Amino acid sequence: MEYIRISSIEDPLFRSLHQLMTEVFPPEEVLEFSLWKEPLEDPGIRVFAAVHEGEVVGTTEYRYYPDWNVAMTDFTIIGREGLGIGRFLAMSRLKDLQALAAAEGQELLGMFAEIYDPYRVEDYAFGGVKPMDPFVRREVLSHLGYQRLDFPYVHPSWLGDGEAVTGLDLCFMPGDEERTSLSAGLVADFLTRYYSVLDSKPQSWHAMVEQLRSADTVELRPL
């Protein structure tokens, strides 16, 4: 299996990758095809496809923030069962991020991810691919070391309509397994930068960020 970076919507692999996203995720979670041009060309956004026998069977998008020494996993998609795609993507991503942190003279502090709460999103089929089932994904990510940041989380819809998307938790996988909390200011700064691309955000999101800025730390809880 190959781990191939996609940096243009003109790349033939990207059409397959985008189709995979639309099959797996609900519409409010998927950016329209043409709007991917700038993100793919952004050197800070890393989109990789898992390619097996010429076919895109999985994908992951993530980014590294050297000033905070943290990463964000935007999404991970497993398109087929029985190929070990999940582990392949997770390990390839971690090696890449560790190399990026090392180039900055650092050891990766950790990685954020949004994770569906299966008790709040039971109607999402996620393309009918069992590894993408919210119950399965949550357990896998827990095994990888992700923990839930203990605050009510909401994020703006990627449709750009200003609607609030709920049913997810913001989580963090610390590089140090002994870490039990994260700076609330870091979380607020991260979310502000991460969602700066969306002009329209719900009031509930702004209220959430202000609440974070008024706190010192956010506790990490088991998934």
Side-chain angles (χ1 to χ4, degrees):
M1 197 175 301
E2 297 175 275
Y3 192 62
I4 300 177
R5 187 173 184 183
I6 310 296
S7 56
S8 169
I9 61 173
E10 302 301 325
D11 188 324
L13 291 175
F14 181 67
R15 187 163 295 278
S16 298
L17 186 155
H18 192 266
Q19 180 62 34
L20 190 58
M21 282 192 285
T22 60
E23 292 171 357
V24 168
F25 288 138
E28 66 271 18
E29 292 294 302
V30 182
L31 202 60
E32 192 271 324
F33 186 94
S34 65
L35 297 180
W36 276 93
K37 184 179 187 302
E38 288 187 13
L40 287 176
E41 294 173 355
D42 185 335
I45 298 177
R46 306 178 74 78
V47 179
F48 283 82
V51 180
H52 176 67
E53 296 179 348
E55 177 187 357
V56 175
V57 294
T59 179
T60 185
E61 176 186 313
Y62 52 99
R63 57 195 82 193
Y64 174 64
Y65 299 86
D67 49 344
W68 297 323
N69 191 31
V70 298
M72 169 65 173
T73 299
D74 298 328
F75 60 78
T76 301
I77 297 176
I78 299 168
R80 284 170 53 183
E81 300 93 338
L83 291 176
I85 299 166
R87 178 172 175 77
F88 173 77
L89 288 172
M91 294 300 102
S92 299
R93 179 178 60 221
L94 184 58
K95 288 177 183 177
D96 185 40
L97 285 168
Q98 287 174 335
L100 291 172
E104 297 290 331
Q106 306 185 91
E107 292 186 12
L108 187 66
L109 179 66
M111 182 159 31
F112 289 100
E114 294 173 335
I115 301 174
Y116 281 97
D117 180 343
Y119 296 99
R120 289 185 283 164
V121 294
E122 293 181 75
D123 56 330
Y124 287 174
F126 292 94
V129 180
K130 279 300 177 185
M132 292 300 294
D133 181 283
F135 287 98
V136 177
R137 293 178 68 202
R138 200 171 179 93
E139 189 62 25
V140 167
L141 290 169
S142 177
H143 276 71
L144 286 174
Y146 280 95
Q147 299 178 64
R148 178 178 59 85
L149 285 160
D150 193 13
F151 71 99
Y153 184 60
V154 61
H155 83 68
S157 168
W158 284 106
L159 291 176
D161 53 11
E163 292 298 312
V165 177
T166 58
L168 301 100
D169 292 313
L170 182 66
C171 298
F172 190 74
M173 180 178 70
D176 177 3
E177 294 182 1
E178 301 301 314
R179 176 179 286 276
T180 60
S181 65
L182 205 59
S183 162
L186 170 60
V187 177
D189 287 344
F190 162 73
L191 290 173
T192 300
R193 186 186 297 180
Y194 185 70
Y195 283 109
S196 63
V197 67
L198 293 175
D199 294 327
S200 183
K201 302 180 184 69
Q203 181 55 40
S204 56
W205 182 88
H206 290 291
M208 175 193 70
V209 171
E210 287 307 307
Q211 186 173 5
L212 285 168
R213 294 201 184 282
S214 68
D216 293 325
T217 61
V218 182
E219 298 299 309
L220 290 166
R221 306 294 188 192
L223 278 178

